Amino acid sequence: MAKLASFFYSRLVIIIPYAWLLAFFLAPFFIVFRISMSTTAIAMPPYEPVFALADGWGGFVEKLQQLSFDNYAWLLDDPLYFNAYVSSVVIAAISTFLTLLIGYPIAYGMAQAPRTIRPTLLMLVILPFWTSFLIRVYSWIAILKPEGLLNQLLLSLGIIDTPLVILNTNIAVYIGIVYSYLPFMVLPLYSSLEKMDGTLIEAAQDLGCPPVTAFWKVTFPLSIPGVIAGCMLVFIPAVGEFVIPDLLGGSQTLMIGRTLWNEFNANRDWPVSSAVATILLLILVIPIVFFQNVQAKADEQGR
């Protein structure tokens, strides 16, 4: 009886996360994919329903035969969507690189700080999450606009003669993404660096290794899991970002999040927008699979 209960509880621990994924990931994805295979209609919701349970098995088979990939073909024919995907990936990749350049020194400094002040430093990194994301992005409008705080400061210091045009450009988008997602980069980096054995650096220096060389040969390789985790946590949401390019970017800032919003709300073309969302999800699966493979190899090497 005890073995049966133990077997049941061990399986229950596995079933619960799979049930969570089924209910909150696979089921919504199937709904979006189902809409992407339908056609637009003057109705509410504005598409012809497919895979409807009320149709029964016969209706299900009939609807299955009516499925069409025309919406995906439309995305391939229209360069707007391809350019939006490419632009989103490029902006997200550049923003991730900039976030890594800024976040790594912060995480390294936190890991090297005395243990008594590390919790305070960690709280300061998490502190922005206590404020609304939308309010934090809006605050950058007041900072970056021509008559904003940044230009007023530079003008008062005599560094510039005319206000800089930063708002409504890709530079403003980079600033917004780096600022908003910096904690997601710092936290996994700090976790990796904080657990690192400091005696390895001391051993490298005792063997005549300069500090810079010791960092690149010992510290940085050991922090690679944190680097990859931080890059994934920044890159994946940045690709589909909508609020930052909509508020800080200009009309020339083309990202798939804004295109997706326009299709859903302005054009009311739910099938095409669902196809856009489905392809976006498939694009984001690639870095996730890459991260899992790297983690699996790291675990094998650790054993």
Side-chain angles (χ1 to χ4, degrees), residues 2-303:
K3 291 183 178 180
L4 181 62
S6 177
F7 176 81
F8 174 76
Y9 287 120
S10 63
R11 293 297 182 271
L12 184 62
V13 172
I14 300 174
I15 291 174
I16 290 177
Y18 278 102
W20 178 275
L21 290 175
L22 178 63
F24 296 102
F25 177 76
L26 290 180
F29 173 75
F30 175 76
I31 293 173
V32 173
F33 178 73
R34 177 175 65 90
I35 297 174
S36 71
M37 305 295 289
S38 64
T39 57
T40 57
I42 303 176
M44 183 56 68
Y47 63 89
E48 293 288 344
V50 292
F51 297 145
L53 298 178
D55 296 335
W57 177 252
F60 177 82
V61 175
E62 181 180 353
K63 291 288 185 180
L64 188 64
Q65 296 173 350
Q66 297 176 359
L67 292 181
S68 173
F69 288 90
D70 291 342
N71 295 320
Y72 294 93
W74 169 263
L75 298 183
L76 296 177
D77 293 337
D78 194 336
L80 171 66
Y81 302 101
F82 177 79
N83 294 334
Y85 283 119
V86 173
S87 178
S88 298
V89 171
V90 171
I91 291 176
I94 295 175
S95 301
T96 302
F97 178 71
L98 295 175
T99 308
L100 178 61
L101 289 181
I102 299 173
Y104 200 102
I106 296 175
Y108 185 80
M110 292 171 56
Q112 296 300 315
R115 291 187 176 274
T116 54
I117 66 172
R118 289 182 187 178
T120 303
L121 297 175
L122 191 61
M123 184 194 68
L124 293 176
V125 173
I126 303 175
L127 192 62
F129 289 119
W130 297 2
T131 307
S132 171
F133 174 76
L134 188 61
I135 294 176
R136 287 187 282 127
V137 176
Y138 264 116
S139 66
W140 277 104
I141 298 178
I143 296 173
L144 299 177
K145 62 184 180 180
E147 64 276 11
L149 298 177
L150 178 60
N151 278 309
Q152 292 299 322
L153 176 62
L154 297 177
L155 288 171
S156 62
L157 295 176
I159 298 177
I160 59 176
D161 297 327
T162 57
L164 299 175
V165 179
I166 302 177
L167 191 63
N168 297 328
T169 64
N170 285 349
I171 296 177
V173 176
Y174 294 139
I175 293 174
I177 293 178
V178 170
Y179 165 76
S180 301
Y181 293 107
L182 185 61
F184 294 103
M185 180 67 74
V186 172
L187 293 178
L189 285 173
Y190 169 75
S191 178
S192 296
L193 293 170
E194 194 268 340
K195 294 183 295 184
M196 190 181 65
D197 189 359
T199 58
L200 297 175
I201 301 296
E202 296 177 359
Q205 293 176 350
D206 291 341
L207 294 174
C209 189
V212 176
T213 306
F215 171 81
W216 287 111
K217 289 185 175 294
V218 179
T219 303
F220 187 77
L222 292 176
S223 65
I224 288 296
V227 172
I228 297 176
C231 290
M232 293 299 101
L233 290 175
V234 174
F235 177 81
I236 291 175
V239 171
E241 181 59 52
F242 164 72
V243 175
I244 294 175
D246 186 59
L247 296 179
L248 301 181
S251 59
Q252 301 299 321
T253 302
L254 183 62
M255 293 192 70
I256 198 62
R258 294 181 64 180
T259 305
L260 187 60
W261 186 90
N262 289 331
E263 290 293 343
F264 261 114
N265 295 277
N267 299 337
R268 301 285 295 172
D269 195 339
W270 286 25
V272 170
S273 56
S274 297
V276 173
T278 301
I279 294 179
L280 177 61
L281 179 62
L282 295 178
I283 292 175
L284 296 180
V285 164
I286 297 175
I288 295 175
V289 172
F290 172 75
F291 172 69
Q292 290 179 340
N293 291 334
V294 172
Q295 286 292 97
K297 292 181 180 179
D299 293 339
E300 292 178 359
Q301 293 177 357
R303 296 174 185 173

